[in-house]
């Protein structure tokens, strides 16, 4: 689902070629997820069937035709509604959480609260699990001291970040109101 959000976010800016969408996604989201062209084009096709986007063929002299994708009003509404839905996988999937967090300003305060509280609960549980390494465990255990230290630092930093975002929960949602209904 978060791939859908990534792709629609590109088209919220302007119409684009598939190659442009891939390039922007790589530049914008490569640190948290990798979306290949083999993933992008089937999603674009799905969006066409849903009426979220249109596809127009553009002829180029001496080169293969290329296609321009443009988001529709229905697609804009779908984008905002996807941002404002909190699924079970959101709390445990770091990539999905990061992508949605990138659009925090387009979420309602209620969605922000649910998302942050759900992720914080998951991180607290994961942090407790990481801290539970028993002394004397085999050095070949998947829960090595170094791995444990890394996870504890990672989860602790994520909890600090969540706490900072919680301070912003009640900021106004910048999404057009008609897309939230």
């Amino acid at each position: 689902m978060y791939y859908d959000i990534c792709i629609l976010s590109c088209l919220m800016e302007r119409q684009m070629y598939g190659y442009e969408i891939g390039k922007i996604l790589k530049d914008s989201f490569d640190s948290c997820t990798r979306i290949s062209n083999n993933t992008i084009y089937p999603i674009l096709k799905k969006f066409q069937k849903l009426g979220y986007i249109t596809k127009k063929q553009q002829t180029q002299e001496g080169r293969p035709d290329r296609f321009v994708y443009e988001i529709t009003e229905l697609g804009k509404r779908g984008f905002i509604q996807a941002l404002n839905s909190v699924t079970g996988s959101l709390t445990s999937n770091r990539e999905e959480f990061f992508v949605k967090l990138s659009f925090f300003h387009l979420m309602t305060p209620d969605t922000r609260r649910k998302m942050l509280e759900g992720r914080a609960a998951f991180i607290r549980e994961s942090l407790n699990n990481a801290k539970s390494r028993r002394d004397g465990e085999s050095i070949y255990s998947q829960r090595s001291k170094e791995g444990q230290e890394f996870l504890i630092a990672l989860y602790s930093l994520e909890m600090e970040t969540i706490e900072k975002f919680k301070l912003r929960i009640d900021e106004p949602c910048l999404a057009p109101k008609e897309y939230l209904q």
Side-chain angles (χ1 to χ4, degrees):
M1 155 125 12
Y2 64 96
Y3 286 172
D4 293 5
I5 290 170
C6 294
I7 291 169
L8 288 174
S9 73
C10 293
L11 295 171
M12 290 291 283
E13 294 290 324
R14 62 182 172 81
Q15 63 181 20
M16 292 184 188
Y17 307 110
Y19 174 80
E20 286 179 287
I21 293 169
K23 187 166 174 16
I24 288 172
L25 293 176
K26 184 177 182 340
D27 294 344
S28 301
F29 296 107
D30 202 41
S31 62
C32 74
T33 191
R34 301 221 182 339
I35 304 174
S36 73
N37 286 345
N38 291 337
T39 303
I40 293 170
Y41 288 101
I43 292 173
L44 289 170
K45 190 172 189 164
K46 174 183 80 170
F47 287 157
Q48 281 182 269
K49 288 180 183 176
L50 290 171
Y52 280 18
I53 64 171
T54 59
K55 175 182 170 183
K56 295 177 188 154
Q57 189 170 351
Q58 213 174 50
T59 305
Q60 302 181 99
E61 194 173 315
R63 298 173 73 184
D65 292 349
R66 58 184 185 177
F67 298 96
V68 178
Y69 300 92
E70 186 171 10
I71 195 164
T72 63
E73 284 300 309
L74 184 61
K76 291 175 184 179
R77 180 181 301 274
F79 170 70
I80 296 300
Q81 289 177 350
L83 286 176
N84 282 282
S85 69
V86 178
T87 62
S89 66
L90 176 62
T91 59
S92 61
N93 186 321
R94 179 174 285 123
E95 293 173 354
E96 183 176 358
F97 178 76
F98 175 79
V99 166
K100 282 201 169 188
L101 198 63
S102 300
F103 299 101
F104 194 77
H105 60 287
L106 297 174
M107 294 179 186
T108 64
D110 187 49
T111 301
R112 294 170 186 162
R113 187 173 288 103
K114 286 178 188 173
M115 181 180 81
L116 293 172
E117 287 174 358
R119 183 67 182 170
F122 174 79
I123 295 299
R124 277 192 296 277
E125 182 182 338
S126 299
L127 192 54
N128 288 336
N129 289 339
K131 289 178 178 178
S132 70
R133 181 180 177 270
R134 295 181 203 96
D135 288 332
E137 271 191 52
S138 165
I139 60 170
Y140 301 108
S141 169
Q142 294 173 344
R143 295 162 34 130
S144 69
K145 183 177 184 204
E146 295 81 6
Q148 179 187 31
E149 288 172 1
F150 176 80
L151 283 175
I152 290 170
L154 183 67
Y155 292 142
S156 298
L157 181 60
E158 192 167 341
M159 283 302 292
E160 288 175 29
T161 304
I162 288 170
E163 291 305 317
K164 288 177 187 174
F165 273 92
K166 281 184 177 180
L167 299 174
R168 297 179 43 212
I169 283 176
D170 292 320
E171 290 178 1
C173 171
L174 300 181
K177 302 228 183 302
E178 64 268 18
Y179 295 154
L180 292 167
Q181 299 168 357

